[in-house]
Amino acid sequence: MTVPPMTLAEKIIAKAAGRASVSPGEVVTVRVDLAMIHDSGGPRRVEPILKRLGVGLFDREKVVLISDHYVPGDTDEGAAILALTREWAKERQVAFYDGEGICHVVLPERGHLKPGMLVVGGDSHSPTGGAFGAYMFGVGATEMAGVLATGEIWLRVPETIRIEWTGKLGPRLMAKDMVLAMCGRLGMDGGRYQAIEYAGETVRSLSMQERMTLSNMAAELGAQAGLIAPDRTTIDWLAGHGGTDLPDPTDWQSDPDAPVAETHFFNAGELAPQVAAPHSPANAAPVTDYEPTPIDVAYIGACTGAKYVDLKAAAEIIRGRRLAKGVELLVAPASKRDQDQAARDGIMQVLEDAGAKVLPNACGICAGYGSARLGENVTCISTTARNFRGRMGAKSSMVYLGSPYTVAASAIAGRITDPREVGAGA
């Protein structure tokens, strides 16, 4: 039988379904290679369902639990949920990373992902796994309970939307600027719940942590998954982070003649730093459209904006400078490993010397958790993925989104600022 040309998404789904090929629109049952859950949507929600069904885990070796939403447990509710999470991890004997960072960053940095995997995550930003050539998508607690019980889930084979980037990013531009530009042009339903595949020379030139930002925010484009075909950069990074039995990346590529639903082209050489105005990532436009809006808080945090590469970018701007009067800079490194590396390299000291307050390695106020939420009528510029009304605190707060470069430059100036206009730090 002749196998038709397939996209990367279709190849992964076909493998998981035990079939030679699949076509968009088909509904298939697939075996899950890995299930990732966290403290918010995990044990406290899935365990009651498992108990009602009278079942255990399909394979505890294929379940990873990460505490990140309620860390550090600085509220009564948070402390209770973390205690429940820790007890469940002991009872179920699953891999558990407690307070080590945000799930989407910790999962790959601990060697759990590789190309060709089909992974289900209990969080809307689970498409991050697509940066490693894995088909990873988010589900709710009820669906996750079914996955944990059976190791299977059904899905409709998606069409693929190809987004191709050409050209070279200019100074002080990052993947965050790329994805905000895509949100601004395509809107938050640009992916129409399909699979996005990012491609082109610009994408191939990105580091793995920058690729993670693109895949993560496929969720903001309305896609189920955000894939980047693996290459030597992918394999080398995974090998350096505990990955084993890694495949030949050429095995997990879209066929050149595989049909796609749409193709969109972007030119990185024409891109300016992007800022998204409240209350949607789709409100993205060049930073010059929003200068010189005064700010009260600058937040460098979240899985999209506080990895090592993001902390390094912020420090490049801030080095030797102080925060503008009346501005608070909050920094929540995305993982403990990234924070430790940034500390060894002097990056954390640069941020703290400027007056930054360092928060735990957790989702924190990005997801509206903990005690450091934004107050009434606060204007914030943030590296997070979302700026929905009331998500990070009071409904009267106003949240703008930008890259770590733009957030850092704004913190120094006291207003939304083009990072290209700020000289290198001392």
Side-chain angles (χ1 to χ4, degrees), residues 195-320:
I196 286 175
E197 183 172 344
Y198 300 108
E201 61 183 326
T202 317
V203 175
R204 290 191 296 272
S205 71
L206 295 176
S207 69
M208 286 309 304
Q209 287 200 333
E210 284 282 79
R211 295 181 190 188
M212 289 166 67
T213 297
L214 290 188
S215 293
N216 177 292
M217 287 188 66
E220 275 59 58
L221 289 166
Q224 183 181 61
L227 292 154
I228 298 173
D231 56 14
R232 182 45 53 187
T233 298
T234 316
I235 300 303
D236 289 347
W237 193 94
L238 290 171
H241 288 79
T244 59
D245 193 26
L246 298 173
D248 183 336
T250 61
D251 292 340
W252 296 106
Q253 307 287 320
S254 289
D255 293 325
D257 50 350
V260 298
E262 302 170 14
T263 301
H264 300 278
F265 296 94
F266 289 79
N267 186 339
E270 298 175 352
L271 187 66
Q274 299 288 298
V275 168
H279 298 285
S280 170
N283 293 336
V287 63
T288 49
D289 286 13
Y290 300 111
E291 292 181 307
T293 304
I295 64 165
D296 304 302
V297 175
Y299 183 66
I300 296 173
C303 43
T304 48
K307 301 182 290 297
Y308 176 84
V309 67
D310 304 310
L311 301 172
K312 182 179 180 182
E316 179 185 321
I317 296 278
I318 289 175
R319 187 178 303 276

